[in-house]
Each structure stands twice: as structure tokens, then as C-alpha cells.
Amino acid sequence: MSSYRTFARSMLFGLAAAGIAHAQAPAPAAAPADPYLWLEEVLGDKPLAWVKQHNAVSVKELESQPGFPALQARLKTILNSKERIPYVSKEGAYYYNFWRDAQHVRGIWRRTTLAQYQQAEPAWETVIDLDQLAAGEQENWVWGGASCLYPKGERCLISLSRGGGDAKVIREYDVAKRAFVDGGFSLPEAKGSASWIDEDTLFVSTDFGPGSMTSSGYPRIIKQWQRGTPLAQAQMLYEAKPDDLSAGAYKDFTPGYEHQFIERQIDFYSGEMFLREGANLKKVPKPDDATAFTVRDQLVITLRSEWKVNGKTYPQGALLATDFHAFMQGRQELEVLYAPSATSSLDNVTATKSAILVTTLDKVKNRLTELRHVDGKWLRRAVDAPALGTLVVSALDPVDSDQYFLTVTDFLNPTTLYLGTAQSDQRTKIKSLPAYFDAAPYKVEQFESTSKDGTKVPYFVIMNKATKFNGSNPTVLYGYGGFEVSLKPSYSGIIGEAWLNKGGVYVLANIRGGGEFGPRWHQAALKENRQRAYDDFISVAQDLIKRKVSSPRHLGIMGGSNGGLLTGAVLVQRPDLFNAVVSQVPLLDMRRYNKMLAGASWMGEYGDPDVAEQWAYISKYSPYQNVFKDKKYPRVLLTTSTRDDRVHPGHARKMVAKMEEQGHDVLYWENTEGGHAGAANNDQQAQMWALTYTFLLKQLK
């Protein structure tokens, strides 16, 4: 898929949808004055003093619990393990990996060859040592990624953030010289992107000054920047609207099929795509809510809605292909590469030199199909791959190679990486995680609950084989339910060590709002239907209690980001079902969310609280507006990050302040860096998860 679309998805981490202005719509009644508005001043002296005080209380209580030091040390060992799989991406002749461990706290960007990578102990060359760079420049650098010029990969655009936020500095790097290019391309800190056109030319979308960013805080202007000229003289190519989400651009470098594309992201679920031909931009005639990208002479389209065209109807969630040149000339001859069923959906599409590998989900389990376009016809075959768990496919070089990496993971078997080749089921095992915990005592079951409207909601339960269904098992129910994000089985040493080995049961809920059953599953919980996601989650909790897997005394819930909103909403709606709630980097004040950092970009998901008819339904679940003094709530742990420039830390701060004022029992921990991930390095991750699981264990045992 396009590099820009990858950027668009990663920049919001499943928390993205843009809002559209409603200039004529009636405004809701004025909200009561917010006494905790001062906590939204992220770096203010008074708010930071408040944070410091609350951190001290939480750390003192949780770190004094028996077993905390041992658990934190064990989690640090897991996170820093040299036996982790060093995932790589190919740039030129080398395979690059970014790696953190106890000796490289900020991390190193390193490379090796494919032959070396297949060895048990590859010989790595360090390209950038981020610890040394940060020390030398006296900056709090956190790695943000690298984009290298195809095909040789000798020049790269390195992204660095201060403290782990989304805003990044971009600087050109010469790999051979192991140095940033003196006088080379360099962009100041901003939420934006840059991508290569050729060695001396970039697409740039960044903060060009007043009026150049959308209401969501992302770039809306695309320029072409020529080496040796000031950024201020870059050539204007495209300007999106102020209320759009963002705009970006990229080039397909496939020889013989080189194309340049500009994308207008209207909101997270709709956008326009333009083919650049010299000074002209020609719109690709796809549905606005469909995604599209080129694979050699073909345009591959994924539908979020049913599409009626040329006398035919193509179903929601389908994968289509067409001759790109003919399509741009007005011929709409489309072939269905995949159509969903009641229980299956499209999960991912990856291209190699001669094939397209399609990953689908069937009852939240992955299947893999290979498609090849031969003599004008599509040939397909099922790839012999593990039938349980999650499959992730990554092409080594989609332009020049048919090899691909296949990652296989599930709840109990350590993640394994294979090297495969299109047109063959033979694959070579390259790497595998060690067994961070003994999985022999455990089993995985998949159950269904029935939601309030009768919808069946699947969920996974990971538990000891000897677990007795007597209602006394400490159980954590995890969910997300938004932005078309699918929660799939995966191996976690942290969950195994910190929870399963402590006698806990872990539950993963596949509620509506996610993408487990395609666009329909996601769209069923949008905007005015958001309550369905919460009803689904509640139904899973009730089903666990009904089956006596757990009981309200021993049942806790956890979620982060949009999942933090989920747990916050369910906390205030059904406090009787739980004894512990963990809400991480959450949205909680839905009255003001669209005015805080990137919040305006999510109105396509939640709605616009400044429109009376939309606030009418948002107000019914917004946690900050629905927590009351006279209700009894389970104990809550809220965690966030000062450096989260995506979901404002004010959400969690204000919720804690309000609950405390009402007399409720709540703990709070705010990491002073780390961005939306909540932690900037492995040591911080270890502390965050040790605090979290210690809290859950204390409450639910």
C-alpha cells in the first residue's frame, strides 16, 4: 500500500477520523464551567506539580506491593531480551532494524545482509546510535523511523521526535558516510511527512506557517522541494481544505510503472487520490471511502461501502482489481479478488514482484491466499499456512523480489518468523521468540456473548487448563472497539508473566467498532451508534460472569486510547460488574475532545460535540460528564503521558481530579515522556506494565 496511507494510519494509531464543519447546525447548550480546565495546560507549573504529587502516591502504593520489584525486573528482562525477533526492512542491498536493549536505551539503527539475518547470531553494522546522537546534540531524541530512496537506499530521511510525540524533525542522512548531510534536506519539528521523488527532490507536507495545517493539526499543503533551494521556495502542488484531516504524497518506484500520487484525506474513512502527470492532477475515479494503490499495471481497490458501477454491484468489504491505465481512461472493468462472507473479512494486502498476498480473517483467525495476474487473468491458490492464530505478511522488496516474511503468532506459541516465496508453500524458519513463560498449563477458548440488540460478539479466553468455573478467577477483560482496528491473537511475554503466571485469566473481546468482520462491523458502532460497542463489551463481561469464569469481585477491564474511552464509558455505565478499571492514554472528556490536540480528526468516528443533535448522543456516554458523587465505582488506575501529543493528557488528569473531588478511589500515573505509546523506552514500558498488573492483581485476587 502507499507510503502515505501507511503514514496516515500510523499517525493516529487507530484513533483517527476527521470531522466536517457544521456551520449551520445548532450549537448545544453552553456547558457548565469546567473547574479542572487548568489541568489541560500540559507543561504548566501547577498541573505538573499536581502530576508529580499523584505519581508519588501511586508509585508508593504499587511499588511497595509484594513481588513488584521482581515483576518489574522480569518485565525489563523480557523487553530487553536479545532473543527478541529483530524485524527488518530492506533498503538497497541491506536489511535494517531498529533495536533497543539495556545497553541501548534509546536504541540503535543497524543493518545486515539477508544471508547474515538467517544466522542465529547475525553480524550487525550500527548505522545510527541514538543514545550517542541524543547525548551529543543534548536532545531527548526518540526514534521516529527512516525513509530511504529506492532502489539503492543510500540516502534516508530520518525522523526524530523530542520525548516520543507525533511531531518530528526530519533530516537527510548519508548511510555510507554515517552522517547527516551537511546542507541537506531538513524539516523543523512538525506533524508532517516527506518522501522521495528522486535524489534531489522531495514531496513535503509540513507546517508551512499560519493556515497551512488542518483543524486536526496535520498538514494540508503539498509542495515539491528541490535540493539547494530554501523550503520557502518549494513548489506548491496541492492544497486540501482546512477542515480536511490531512494531505500527503508519494511515488511508486516500480520500473515501467512509476507514478506519483497526491492524496487528500477528507476524514480517516474517506479521501481523494490524484495521479500527478507533470503539472496536472487527475483524480482517480474510486469511491471516496475506498482505498486504492497500484501494483504494476493494476489498481487494487478496497471497498468500505457497496459500490454500484457499470451496471454491477460490488459488496462492502470487497477487494477489486482493474487495469490502471484503462480505469483512468474511463473503462470500469473490475474483477473481484475477494468478497467477504458473514464470518470473514479482508485483513491485509501485500504485493511481491509477481503476486498479491491476501490475508483474510475468518472468525478472527487468519487465512492466506496468493493471487497472480497472468495473461490477463487472475490465478489464485490457498497458501498452506497455520490455521490458528495471526498471520502477518511483509514483502522483502515488492518491486524486485518474490520473497516475503511470514510472521505467525498466537496466544500461547512464541511468535515465529519465516521466509517464504510466492508460488511455493515451502518456507524457512528464520527467527522465533523464546518461551517467555511456560504455556503448557494454559489453553485458549473462543466464546460468544449476546449483545443488547442480539448481535453475537466473539471473544477469546486464555486460562489455565485447571481453571474452575466457580466465579473466583481474577480476570482481565481487554477491548478496543474503534477505528476499524482488529484485535487478533498474539504472543505476549508480558501478559504471560505478569498475569497468567499469577493465576489470572485474560480475555480479548472482538466488539463492534473494530474491523474483525470488515467495514460493517466498524460502521455498526459509529457516531450515534457508539453505544453498541459499549453494549458489546458489557455483554462479554456478563457472559464471563454467567459462565462463572469470573464474578464482579474478581473481574477487571483494561483498554488504551479509544479503548481507554471504552473502559471509561463502561465504568460509569455498569460499575456493578467490575472491581478494577485500567484506562490508558484515554479520551474521557468528549465535550471538549475535538478542541484538544488531534481530537478534531476523530469526529468521523464519534461525531461533533459542538452540534446539539450530535452532543445529545455523545453526552450520554462521555465518561467525564457521567461520573457522579452518589454512585459507587470500582477502583480505577488511569495512566497517560505528558508527551502524548495525540490524545491530550488533560483527559485523564481531569477525570482523576473530578473523581477525587467526588470522593472516589482512583490512582493516577503520568509518564513524563513517551508519546501516545505511554513510554519512550523499554525501562519505562517495564515500569508502566508492572504498575498496571500489580494494581490489577491487588484488586482482583
Side-chain angles (χ1 to χ4, degrees):
M1 293 190 181
S2 82
S3 58
Y4 173 65
R5 202 164 289 282
T6 301
F7 159 74
R9 200 159 189 86
S10 66
M11 75 180 180
L12 297 171
F13 193 55
L15 273 177
I20 298 173
H22 297 266
Q24 305 304 317
D34 185 348
Y36 304 110
L37 200 63
W38 59 275
L39 285 167
E40 290 184 16
E41 187 184 355
V42 177
L43 298 176
D45 291 341
K46 185 181 177 183
L48 288 179
W50 182 94
V51 168
K52 184 177 180 181
Q53 176 191 356
H54 283 76
N55 280 359
V57 171
S58 300
V59 167
K60 181 179 179 181
E61 175 185 330
L62 297 176
E63 291 192 355
S64 67
Q65 294 301 305
F68 179 90
L71 177 60
Q72 184 177 16
R74 176 60 182 144
L75 297 186
K76 191 182 295 187
T77 299
I78 291 172
L79 289 164
N80 283 322
S81 169
K82 295 185 184 298
E83 296 179 279
R84 286 172 291 141
I85 297 174
Y87 293 102
V88 294
S89 61
K90 183 175 181 290
E91 304 288 354
Y94 293 91
Y95 292 76
Y96 287 77
N97 162 259
F98 185 74
W99 182 262
R100 291 190 184 109
D101 58 27
Q103 287 72 46
H104 307 97
V105 177
R106 295 181 186 274
I108 54 173
W109 191 46
R110 58 187 187 170
R111 71 181 189 180
T112 190
T113 63
L114 183 59
Q116 277 292 323
Y117 186 62
Q118 296 181 69
Q119 302 298 314
E121 297 289 340
W124 294 96
E125 295 178 63
T126 296
V127 179
I128 296 177
D129 185 321
L130 206 59
D131 295 88
Q132 289 183 8
L133 180 67
E137 298 185 348
Q138 296 184 318
E139 289 276 12
N140 184 22
W141 288 136
V142 175
W143 185 253
S147 172
C148 301
L149 177 62
Y150 192 86
K152 295 182 179 180
E154 295 170 344
R155 289 289 179 97
C156 301
L157 299 173
I158 305 298
S159 295
L160 303 168
S161 78
R162 293 180 171 93
D166 285 351
K168 296 177 176 65
V169 170
I170 299 177
R171 295 157 65 182
E172 184 180 6
Y173 191 81
D174 187 320
V175 175
K177 294 180 178 178
R178 300 290 197 270
F180 288 102
V181 178
D182 187 24
F185 292 117
S186 181
L187 290 170
E189 185 176 62
K191 291 184 179 181
S193 66
S195 61
W196 296 99
I197 298 176
D198 58 41
E199 186 175 356
D200 295 316
T201 320
L202 299 182
F203 283 124
V204 177
S205 56
T206 188
D207 186 346
F208 290 107
S212 68
M213 305 294 276
T214 67
S215 57
S216 300
Y218 295 100
R220 69 182 188 90
I221 291 174
I222 308 297
K223 293 187 178 183
Q224 178 175 300
W225 188 14
Q226 203 70 24
R227 184 181 299 282
T229 64
L231 180 59
Q233 294 179 12
Q235 176 190 353
M236 173 74 78
L237 298 180
Y238 182 77
E239 188 171 353
K241 295 180 180 180
D243 286 332
D244 287 345
L245 172 57
S246 62
Y250 71 97
K251 178 180 176 179
D252 182 342
F253 282 90
T254 307
Y257 305 103
E258 294 95 342
H259 300 297
Q260 296 179 24
F261 293 101
I262 287 177
E263 294 187 327
R264 172 199 176 200
Q265 205 70 29
I266 300 170
D267 60 39
F268 193 69
Y269 307 114
S270 63
E272 295 177 333
M273 182 179 187
F274 301 92
L275 173 65
R276 183 191 182 197
E277 295 178 322
N280 298 318
L281 297 181
K282 188 173 182 180
K283 186 177 177 180
V284 178
K286 68 172 185 64
D288 282 354
D289 68 346
T291 61
F293 61 99
T294 48
V295 179
R296 296 173 291 279
D297 64 334
Q298 297 288 298
L299 182 71
V300 179
I301 303 171
T302 304
L303 298 183
R304 281 198 177 97
S305 302
E306 183 180 85
W307 189 22
K308 295 180 179 179
V309 61
N310 203 23
K312 296 182 180 179
T313 300
Y314 299 95
Q316 178 185 44
L319 181 69
L320 312 176
T322 185
D323 181 278
F324 180 52
H325 179 74
F327 189 69
M328 294 301 293
Q329 298 303 314
R331 287 165 47 197
Q332 297 173 316
E333 298 174 1
L334 300 154
E335 182 151 355
V336 178
L337 301 185
Y338 170 79
S341 70
T343 61
S344 68
S345 65
L346 182 68
D347 192 31
N348 196 35
V349 181
T350 302
T352 70
K353 182 179 180 180
S354 69
I356 292 177
L357 295 162
V358 178
T359 313
T360 56
L361 276 173
D362 189 356
K363 295 183 179 178
V364 205
K365 302 178 183 71
N366 277 136
R367 303 288 184 268
L368 187 59
T369 303
E370 178 184 293
L371 300 166
R372 290 189 303 122
H373 197 233
V374 180
D375 297 330
K377 295 183 179 180
W378 285 96
L379 307 179
R380 70 181 62 228
R381 72 177 190 90
V383 178
D384 184 14
L388 296 175
T390 300
L391 307 175
V392 180
V393 178
S394 175
L396 271 64
D397 184 338
V399 173
D400 202 39
S401 172
D402 265 328
Q403 292 182 298
Y404 62 90
F405 291 120
L406 176 66
T407 303
V408 180
T409 186
D410 61 42
F411 292 114
L412 298 179
N413 295 294
T415 303
T416 302
L417 179 69
Y418 297 92
L419 180 63
T421 306
Q423 303 183 54
S424 172
D425 286 333
Q426 300 299 311
R427 60 182 68 93
T428 304
K429 179 179 175 181
I430 302 293
K431 309 284 180 190
S432 182
L433 286 179
Y436 288 123
F437 63 97
D438 181 7
Y442 305 109
K443 64 178 179 178
V444 179
E445 300 275 3
Q446 189 179 30
F447 298 124
E448 280 186 340
S449 65
T450 302
S451 195
K452 187 176 182 178
D453 63 0
T455 300
K456 298 297 182 181
V457 181
Y459 65 93
F460 292 100
V461 179
I462 305 94
M463 57 188 161
N464 196 291
K465 293 173 183 175
T467 297
K468 295 180 180 178
F469 287 22
N470 57 11
S472 65
N473 303 298
T475 302
V476 173
L477 168 59
Y478 187 89
Y480 188 78
F483 299 93
E484 215 171 334
V485 173
S486 302
L487 296 187
K488 297 175 285 186
S490 63
Y491 185 80
S492 170
I494 290 176
I495 294 172
E497 186 64 49
W499 192 244
L500 298 179
N501 280 358
K502 307 297 183 186
V505 173
Y506 192 84
V507 181
L508 190 71
N510 300 116
I511 64 177
R512 281 175 289 184
E516 288 88 346
F517 296 100
R520 66 178 179 86
W521 197 246
H522 167 242
Q523 293 168 16
L526 280 179
K527 295 186 177 180
E528 69 271 18
N529 295 316
R530 197 73 194 172
Q531 183 59 39
R532 289 174 178 168
Y534 309 141
D535 290 342
D536 288 0
F537 200 60
I538 289 167
S539 77
V540 174
Q542 291 173 321
D543 201 60
L544 290 167
I545 294 167
K546 181 181 178 181
R547 294 177 189 272
K548 294 188 176 181
V549 173
S550 194
S551 61
R553 163 65 185 83
H554 300 285
L555 180 58
I557 53 176
M558 179 164 60
S561 199
N562 173 72
L565 170 59
L566 166 70
T567 55
V570 172
L571 160 72
V572 299
Q573 291 182 22
R574 290 302 306 270
D576 57 304
L577 292 178
F578 314 105
N579 200 40
V581 175
V582 176
S583 183
Q584 303 162 309
V585 291
L587 287 90
L588 295 168
D589 181 1
M590 299 304 288
R591 183 67 186 86
R592 282 183 48 77
Y593 86 91
N594 61 325
K595 298 176 176 63
M596 299 162 71
L597 296 175
S601 65
W602 312 323
M603 290 194 288
E605 184 83 8
Y606 304 120
D608 185 347
D610 292 330
V611 176
E613 61 189 25
Q614 296 182 44
W615 174 240
Y617 57 76
I618 297 171
S619 64
K620 292 179 181 178
Y621 69 77
S622 179
Y624 188 59
Q625 281 73 34
N626 285 284
V627 60
F628 300 109
K629 185 175 183 178
D630 59 352
K631 282 195 174 184
K632 187 179 188 306
Y633 298 106
R635 202 169 192 217
V636 181
L637 170 65
L638 286 113
T639 67
T640 189
S641 162
T642 311
R643 288 292 301 177
D644 189 346
D645 55 359
R646 194 178 314 172
V647 176
H648 199 294
H651 285 279
R653 292 176 178 180
K654 295 197 302 178
M655 187 73 169
V656 169
K658 186 174 184 179
M659 292 188 74
E660 285 183 331
E661 186 270 331
Q662 294 177 348
H664 304 302
D665 192 357
V666 56
L667 288 176
Y668 182 77
W669 183 74
E670 179 176 317
N671 193 15
T672 55
E673 55 185 38
H676 193 50
N681 57 52
N682 293 339
D683 290 356
Q684 292 174 12
Q685 288 270 6
Q687 183 185 21
M688 179 181 73
W689 287 116
L691 290 169
T692 299
Y693 281 106
T694 297
F695 168 78
L696 288 167
L697 199 64
K698 181 182 180 185
Q699 291 301 119
L700 303 180
K701 267 288 194 178

